[in-house]
């Protein structure tokens, strides 16, 4: 079964926005056994949209279109779909009810222009959008079943999973190639080194394809197993995962693609332990990430984002002499920050960062990209200085935060590093 | 002049990799006066590649193709280009010399497969690649001038700038369409309501096209001016921007697309004032955003991410009686948090959030999505309760953070809201 993807909108066409929707849709369609052969992107231009829909209708069996379902004048997908399918637009009562319910639930006033969103091509099937005002729809154009979804990624993803994938034409087993994917998250080795450690995988495990994906600052390892028999593929994946884990050791953060913050959350919950953070150069990012996990209030107590020296002293109790003698960016200061936040919060673990994210503030001894990470645990206190040189302030914040969280993860799992014990 | 973009490769086609090349190329082509009408992505499949090249050759005047120039078996672009142009492949001595020089300079051994990269379609013009092993080439297929570049972003970008843009067919002024873009950031009105307030723009300002983009939780307004004369377009954009600003009033966060955190930074710097934040449900996100701005240490002093009640009391000095009487999620608690963080940091502004991001922790009186925002300013203290109901914890964190930052922005610019003065 041949699939295509059409992204619409002037932001994407003109390059103002990178289209990440199409990659997500391609992955999900391929997992469902659809062979995605082409993605297309066009702007908010009625004639171009109609032409693209007709071409895809001639080539593909199934297609997913994103964008252009909103209430404004430049949202043209619904009208273009009707023209391409040679049907009229019809008022869908069911769509109107969904839109009204959406606004009522949010206690927001519905605008007149939202009424436009209840007009769908005649003969189409409405697709519910539980988290946005624009319902989608499914419609046949040419020989192809089209699914029209909003361009907002969170709405698109939910509707793809709940409304599109279950509706895909069933592929008969003999024509169906299964693709199972296993994602492992790693941190601490560069992409090239990770690739080298895993070279030979395809010889050892024929039928397993390896994909490395730098999802800064993580490296994700994807193992793809293609074949006909679910059971055999599962087994092959298990064996290949075990081999990868052995090759990469402690750099494996999770065997199921879970994020660092999710892994730390699980580790703390299992131990009935709590963490507090003292952040300087990471500016709240560690705290933001830890609290993205539902239920994190069970183990996350406090983060003190102490940007100024004065607040390091007054809030965390860092000694002014330490800062005078060593400076704010130093292992000793990081230790006192970690101990301070552990003490004032009553947490089992206190984690700290102090460094220079840039672009300014560097010096020859402490260049931009320097970070000192402190960890106070039930077993004592430890700190470590690291240096990175990425191009941007935000990348530095991200690698600093990830490095600090990895030190916490390693300590919980493996205790202190021998050299620094 | 019509332009198209073709991205090739199974990683992009299958969704394993997000294609950011096409957005970059689209931007650069549009800046050069090329109207980009379509992007296409296909995989490493000879027949599909040839078909796509021929289609584009019939439609466009100029096209940029990325990927498939490497030395391995799945690099098919050069062979497909020759077939689509109905020419043979020819050994290019100049290409061979460049490839040999590349390996020599890097002190790396050239493999036999690299020789394949010196065969280019007969009649094509080689394009130098100073930082990679794959030279590109330019070739006419149908009515279109194609530029074939490597898929590695850093090589593609350099070659696009140095080899492609200078070679673009000159567009004579009377055929050249300029496109100027102005981005305004807004917050506080839903997309549909924003669109309605701006309806009529295209009648009042012919030649200006309006684009709305929900970049959650902001709405960005893009004004596109197409035309021949730079001066006239600038003036038209100015007038249209002024009209938009009048229609949207205080909801305009910036007239140049700057983020909320950048705007707050400028406002504080202009007033020589500093801010500190007490975050509960936003979990550090406000702090993370404020510190994403280079130089934010000049006005950002502290964020206390006080997730537990105990830390609200011990770190911020919130009175236990207030929490007992009203609960942690309450306007009074928000006020005490804002006052507390202002006091302990010595900042001019103390901003606080306390609420329920979900998915758990809601109650009938305080459902998931409730947030209380407090602001202590030199003029006094104020707080406000808001309710949202988005689908996810992260979306709640984002809308809570944005709402709190907007209250700070509004207060600095316009003083207290009258009702709550």
């Amino acid at each position: 079964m041949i699939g295509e993807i059409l992204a619409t909108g002037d932001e994407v066409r003109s390059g103002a926005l990178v289209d990440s929707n199409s990659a997500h849709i391609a992955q999900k369609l391929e997992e469902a056994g659809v062979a995605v052969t082409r993605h297309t992107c066009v702007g908010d231009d009625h004639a171009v949209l109609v032409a693209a829909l007709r071409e895809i209708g001639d080539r593909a069996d199934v297609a997913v279109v994103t964008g252009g379902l909103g209430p404004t004048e430049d949202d043209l997908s619904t009208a273009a779909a009707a023209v391409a399918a040679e049907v009229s637009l019809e008022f869908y009562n069911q769509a109107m009810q969904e839109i009204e319910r959406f606004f009522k639930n949010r206690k927001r006033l519905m605008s007149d222009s939202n009424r436009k969103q209840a007009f769908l091509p005649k003969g189409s099937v409405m697709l519910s959008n539980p988290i946005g005002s624009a319902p989608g729809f499914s419609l046949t154009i040419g020989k192809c079943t089209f699914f029209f979804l909003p361009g907002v990624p969170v709405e698109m993803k939910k509707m793809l999973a709940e409304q599109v994938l279950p509706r895909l034409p069933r592929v008969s087993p003999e024509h169906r190639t299964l693709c199972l994917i296993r994602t492992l998250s790693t941190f601490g080795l560069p992409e090239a080194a990770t690739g080298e450690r895993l070279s030979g995988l395809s010889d050892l495990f024929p039928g397993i394809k390896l994909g490395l994906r730098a999802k800064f600052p993580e490296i994700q390892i994807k193992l793809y197993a293609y074949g006909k028999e679910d059971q055999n593929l599962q087994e092959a994946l298990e064996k290949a995962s075990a081999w990868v884990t052995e090759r990469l050791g402690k750099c494996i953060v999770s065997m199921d693609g879970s994020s660092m913050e999710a892994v730390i959350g699980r580790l703390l919950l299992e131990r009935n332990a709590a963490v507090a953070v003292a952040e300087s150069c990471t500016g709240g990012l560690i705290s933001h990430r830890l609290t993205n996990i539902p239920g994190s209030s069970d183990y996350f107590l406090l983060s003190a984002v102490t940007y100024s020296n004065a607040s390091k002293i007054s809030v965390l109790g860092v000694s002014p002499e330490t800062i005078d003698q060593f400076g704010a960016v130093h292992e000793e200061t990081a230790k006192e920050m970690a101990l301070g936040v552990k003490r004032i919060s009553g947490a089992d673990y206190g984690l700290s960062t102090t460094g220079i994210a840039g672009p300014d503030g560097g010096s020859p001894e402490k260049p931009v990209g320097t970070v000192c990470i402190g960890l106070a645990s039930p077993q004592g206190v430890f700190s470590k200085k690291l240096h990175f040189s990425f191009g941007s302030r935000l990348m530095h914040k991200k690698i600093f935060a990830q490095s600090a969280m990895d030190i916490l993860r390693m300590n919980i799992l493996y205790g202190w590093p021998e050299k620094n014990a």
Side-chain angles (χ1 to χ4, degrees), chain A residues 56-76:
Chain A
I56 295 170
D58 287 343
R59 280 190 306 246
D61 304 307
V62 57
V64 178
V65 183
T66 56
L69 303 184
T72 64
E73 283 171 24
D74 60 354
D75 289 303
L76 302 171

Side-chain angles (χ1 to χ4, degrees), chain A residues 92-107:
Chain A
Y92 272 56
N93 211 19
Q94 183 197 7
M96 195 68 241
Q97 284 168 1
E98 288 229 352
I99 298 167
E100 283 170 348
R101 194 179 322 132
F102 172 80
F103 283 97
K104 204 178 151 198
N105 287 345
R106 311 250 156 159
K107 299 188 179 62

Side-chain angles (χ1 to χ4, degrees), chain A residues 180-331:
Chain A
L180 299 184
I181 305 180
R182 170 73 61 94
T183 305
L184 294 88
S185 295
T186 78
F187 179 68
L189 276 179
E191 189 174 354
T194 308
E196 273 164 35
R197 286 217 194 167
L198 301 183
S199 75
L201 179 130
S202 46
D203 296 334
L204 280 168
F205 304 95
I208 301 278
K209 207 175 146 186
L210 171 70
L212 290 186
R213 188 176 151 212
K215 198 181 163 191
F216 185 81
E218 280 182 14
I219 310 274
Q220 285 195 339
I221 295 167
K222 296 210 179 237
L223 299 175
Y224 302 86
Y226 295 95
K228 303 283 176 204
E229 300 275 352
D230 189 77
Q231 184 58 36
N232 296 351
L233 294 183
Q234 288 286 8
E235 269 175 35
L237 262 189
E238 285 306 325
K239 284 182 188 163
S241 303
W243 184 82
V244 168
T245 307
E246 205 192 296
R247 305 285 291 175
L248 297 179
K250 295 177 181 174
C251 293
I252 300 278
V253 174
S254 73
M255 308 257 309
D256 60 357
S258 292
S259 63
M260 179 72 83
E261 51 269 33
V263 169
I264 288 176
R266 278 203 298 262
L267 292 175
L268 291 170
L269 277 179
E270 284 164 11
R271 286 154 182 79
N272 197 23
V275 67
V277 189
E279 304 188 58
S280 187
C281 54
T282 48
L285 178 55
I286 296 176
S287 169
H288 172 48
R289 287 183 55 188
L290 289 173
T291 61
N292 279 344
I293 305 300
S296 45
S297 52
D298 288 345
Y299 53 81
F300 174 77
L301 301 184
L302 169 71
S303 172
V305 186
T306 49
Y307 235 50
S308 64
N309 284 346
S311 63
K312 288 183 184 72
I313 296 165
S314 66
V315 177
L316 296 173
V318 172
S319 117
E321 291 74 32
T322 304
I323 294 183
D324 273 355
Q325 192 181 342
F326 301 110
V329 180
H330 192 278
E331 291 96 323

Side-chain angles (χ1 to χ4, degrees), chain A residues 47 79 87 103 158 170 190 240 265 279 310 362 364 366 368 371 380 393 396:
Chain A
V87 297
F103 283 97
K158 194 172 171 68
R170 280 290 202 81
E279 304 188 58
K366 293 175 185 173
V368 168
V371 63
R393 177 178 179 83
H396 280 143

Side-chain angles (χ1 to χ4, degrees), chain A residues 216 357-359 368 388-396:
Chain A
F216 185 81
V368 168
F388 301 95
S389 57
F390 288 103
S392 82
R393 177 178 179 83
L394 184 57
M395 285 176 90
H396 280 143

Side-chain angles (χ1 to χ4, degrees), chain A residues 30-79:
Chain A
E30 293 250 316
E31 284 171 24
V34 177
V36 176
T37 54
R38 195 189 274 236
H39 318 184
T40 306
C41 161
V42 297
D44 301 316
D45 180 310
H46 183 79
V48 174
L49 262 169
V50 172
L53 291 171
R54 284 184 174 151
E55 287 167 29
I56 295 170
D58 287 343
R59 280 190 306 246
D61 304 307
V62 57
V64 178
V65 183
T66 56
L69 303 184
T72 64
E73 283 171 24
D74 60 354
D75 289 303
L76 302 171
S77 293
T78 309

